[in-house]
Coordinates of all heavy atoms in Angstrom, one line a residue:
D131 N -2.6 -5.6 5.3 CA -3.5 -4.7 4.6 C -2.7 -3.5 4.1 O -2.1 -2.8 4.9 CB -4.7 -4.3 5.4 CG -5.7 -3.4 4.7 OD1 -5.4 -3.0 3.6 OD2 -6.7 -3.1 5.3
A132 N -2.6 -3.3 2.8 CA -1.8 -2.2 2.3 C -2.3 -0.8 2.8 O -1.5 0.2 2.8 CB -1.8 -2.2 0.8
E133 N -3.5 -0.7 3.2 CA -4.1 0.5 3.8 C -3.6 0.8 5.2 O -3.8 1.9 5.7 CB -5.6 0.5 3.7 CG -6.1 0.5 2.2 CD -7.6 0.5 2.1 OE1 -8.3 0.8 3.1 OE2 -8.1 0.1 1.0
H134 N -3.1 -0.3 5.9 CA -2.6 -0.1 7.2 C -1.3 -1.0 7.4 O -1.3 -2.0 8.0 CB -3.7 -0.6 8.2 CG -5.0 0.1 8.0 ND1 -5.2 1.3 8.5 CD2 -6.1 -0.3 7.4 CE1 -6.5 1.7 8.2 NE2 -7.0 0.7 7.5
L135 N -0.2 -0.6 6.8 CA 1.0 -1.4 6.8 C 1.6 -1.4 8.2 O 1.8 -0.4 8.8 CB 2.0 -0.8 5.8 CG 1.6 -0.9 4.3 CD1 2.5 -0.1 3.4 CD2 1.5 -2.3 3.8
P136 N 2.0 -2.6 8.6 CA 2.6 -2.8 10.0 C 4.1 -2.6 10.0 O 4.8 -3.4 10.6 CB 2.2 -4.2 10.3 CG 2.3 -4.9 9.0 CD 1.8 -3.9 8.0
F137 N 4.6 -1.5 9.3 CA 6.0 -1.3 9.3 C 6.3 0.2 9.7 O 5.4 1.1 9.4 CB 6.5 -1.6 7.9 CG 6.2 -2.9 7.4 CD1 5.2 -3.1 6.4 CD2 6.9 -4.0 7.8 CE1 4.9 -4.4 5.9 CE2 6.6 -5.3 7.4 CZ 5.6 -5.5 6.4
A138 N 7.4 0.4 10.3 CA 7.8 1.7 10.7 C 8.1 2.6 9.5 O 8.4 2.1 8.4 CB 9.1 1.7 11.5
G139 N 7.9 3.9 9.6 CA 8.2 4.9 8.6 C 9.6 4.8 8.1 O 10.5 4.6 8.9
G140 N 9.8 5.0 6.8 CA 11.2 5.0 6.3 C 11.9 3.7 6.4 O 13.2 3.6 6.5
S141 N 11.2 2.5 6.3 CA 11.8 1.2 6.5 C 12.4 0.6 5.2 O 13.2 -0.3 5.3 CB 10.7 0.2 7.0 OG 10.3 0.6 8.3
F142 N 11.9 1.1 4.0 CA 12.3 0.4 2.8 C 12.8 1.4 1.7 O 12.5 2.6 1.7 CB 11.0 -0.3 2.2 CG 10.5 -1.3 3.1 CD1 9.4 -1.1 4.0 CD2 11.0 -2.6 3.1 CE1 8.9 -2.1 4.8 CE2 10.5 -3.6 3.9 CZ 9.5 -3.3 4.8
D143 N 13.7 0.8 0.9 CA 14.2 1.5 -0.3 C 13.3 1.4 -1.5 O 13.3 2.3 -2.3 CB 15.6 0.9 -0.6 CG 16.6 1.0 0.5 OD1 17.1 2.1 0.7 OD2 16.9 -0.1 1.1
V144 N 12.6 0.3 -1.6 CA 11.7 0.1 -2.7 C 10.4 -0.6 -2.2 O 10.5 -1.5 -1.4 CB 12.4 -0.8 -3.8 CG1 11.4 -1.2 -4.9 CG2 13.6 -0.2 -4.4
V145 N 9.3 -0.1 -2.8 CA 8.0 -0.8 -2.5 C 7.4 -1.1 -3.9 O 7.5 -0.3 -4.8 CB 7.0 0.1 -1.8 CG1 5.6 -0.5 -1.7 CG2 7.5 0.3 -0.3
S146 N 6.9 -2.3 -4.1 CA 6.3 -2.7 -5.3 C 4.9 -3.2 -5.1 O 4.6 -3.8 -4.0 CB 7.1 -3.8 -6.0 OG 7.1 -5.0 -5.2
V147 N 4.0 -3.0 -6.0 CA 2.7 -3.6 -6.0 C 2.3 -3.9 -7.5 O 2.2 -3.0 -8.3 CB 1.6 -2.7 -5.3 CG1 1.6 -1.3 -5.9 CG2 0.2 -3.4 -5.3
A148 N 2.1 -5.2 -7.8 CA 1.8 -5.6 -9.1 C 0.4 -6.2 -9.2 O 0.1 -7.2 -8.5 CB 2.8 -6.6 -9.6
F149 N -0.5 -5.6 -9.9 CA -1.8 -6.1 -10.2 C -2.6 -6.2 -8.9 O -3.4 -7.2 -8.7 CB -1.8 -7.4 -11.0 CG -1.1 -7.3 -12.3 CD1 0.1 -7.9 -12.5 CD2 -1.5 -6.4 -13.3 CE1 0.8 -7.8 -13.7 CE2 -0.8 -6.3 -14.5 CZ 0.3 -7.0 -14.7
G150 N -2.4 -5.3 -7.9 CA -3.1 -5.4 -6.7 C -3.8 -4.1 -6.3 O -4.8 -4.1 -5.6
L151 N -3.3 -2.9 -6.8 CA -3.8 -1.7 -6.3 C -5.3 -1.5 -6.7 O -6.1 -0.9 -5.9 CB -3.0 -0.5 -6.9 CG -3.4 0.9 -6.5 CD1 -3.2 1.1 -5.0 CD2 -2.7 2.0 -7.3
R152 N -5.7 -2.0 -7.9 CA -7.1 -1.8 -8.3 C -8.1 -2.5 -7.4 O -9.3 -2.1 -7.3 CB -7.3 -2.3 -9.7 CG -7.3 -3.8 -9.9 CD -7.5 -4.2 -11.3 NE -7.7 -5.6 -11.4 CZ -6.7 -6.5 -11.3 NH1 -5.5 -6.1 -11.2 NH2 -7.0 -7.8 -11.4
N153 N -7.6 -3.5 -6.6 CA -8.5 -4.2 -5.7 C -8.6 -3.5 -4.3 O -9.4 -4.0 -3.5 CB -8.0 -5.6 -5.5 CG -8.1 -6.4 -6.8 OD1 -9.1 -6.5 -7.5 ND2 -6.9 -7.1 -7.1
M154 N -7.9 -2.5 -4.1 CA -7.9 -1.8 -2.8 C -9.0 -0.8 -2.7 O -9.3 -0.1 -3.6 CB -6.5 -1.2 -2.5 CG -5.4 -2.2 -2.5 SD -3.8 -1.4 -2.3 CE -2.7 -2.8 -2.7
T155 N -9.7 -0.8 -1.5 CA -10.9 0.0 -1.4 C -10.5 1.5 -1.4 O -11.1 2.3 -2.1 CB -11.6 -0.3 -0.1 OG1 -11.9 -1.7 -0.1 CG2 -12.9 0.5 0.1
H156 N -9.5 1.9 -0.6 CA -9.1 3.3 -0.5 C -7.7 3.4 -1.1 O -6.7 3.3 -0.4 CB -9.1 3.7 1.0 CG -10.4 3.5 1.6 ND1 -10.7 2.5 2.5 CD2 -11.6 4.3 1.5 CE1 -11.9 2.6 2.9 NE2 -12.5 3.6 2.3
K157 N -7.6 3.7 -2.4 CA -6.3 3.7 -3.0 C -5.4 4.8 -2.5 O -4.2 4.7 -2.4 CB -6.5 3.8 -4.5 CG -7.2 2.6 -5.1 CD -7.5 2.8 -6.6 CE -8.2 1.5 -7.2 NZ -9.5 1.2 -6.5
E158 N -6.1 6.0 -2.2 CA -5.3 7.1 -1.7 C -4.6 6.8 -0.4 O -3.4 7.1 -0.2 CB -6.2 8.3 -1.5 CG -6.9 8.8 -2.8 CD -8.2 8.2 -3.1 OE1 -8.5 7.1 -2.5 OE2 -9.0 8.7 -3.9
Q159 N -5.3 6.1 0.5 CA -4.8 5.7 1.8 C -3.6 4.7 1.6 O -2.6 4.8 2.2 CB -5.8 5.1 2.7 CG -5.3 4.8 4.1 CD -6.5 4.4 5.0 OE1 -7.6 4.8 4.8 NE2 -6.1 3.5 6.0
A160 N -3.8 3.7 0.7 CA -2.8 2.7 0.4 C -1.5 3.4 -0.1 O -0.4 3.1 0.3 CB -3.3 1.7 -0.5
L161 N -1.7 4.3 -1.1 CA -0.5 5.0 -1.6 C 0.2 5.8 -0.6 O 1.4 5.9 -0.6 CB -0.9 5.9 -2.8 CG -1.4 5.1 -4.1 CD1 -2.0 6.0 -5.1 CD2 -0.2 4.4 -4.7
A162 N -0.6 6.5 0.3 CA 0.0 7.3 1.4 C 0.8 6.4 2.3 O 1.9 6.7 2.8 CB -1.1 8.0 2.2
E163 N 0.3 5.2 2.6 CA 1.0 4.2 3.4 C 2.3 3.8 2.8 O 3.4 3.6 3.4 CB 0.1 3.0 3.7 CG -0.8 3.2 4.9 CD -0.1 3.2 6.2 OE1 0.2 2.2 6.8 OE2 0.3 4.3 6.7
M164 N 2.3 3.5 1.4 CA 3.5 3.1 0.7 C 4.5 4.2 0.8 O 5.7 4.0 1.0 CB 3.1 2.8 -0.7 CG 2.2 1.6 -0.9 SD 1.7 1.3 -2.6 CE 0.1 0.4 -2.4

């Protein structure tokens, strides 16, 4: 779930989401997790 990502902080150089953000219930929370 993008709103509760199971990865440690600072794990990635790049995050992508294509045609998926609009389906998320709490977009602010998902973006904060990214």
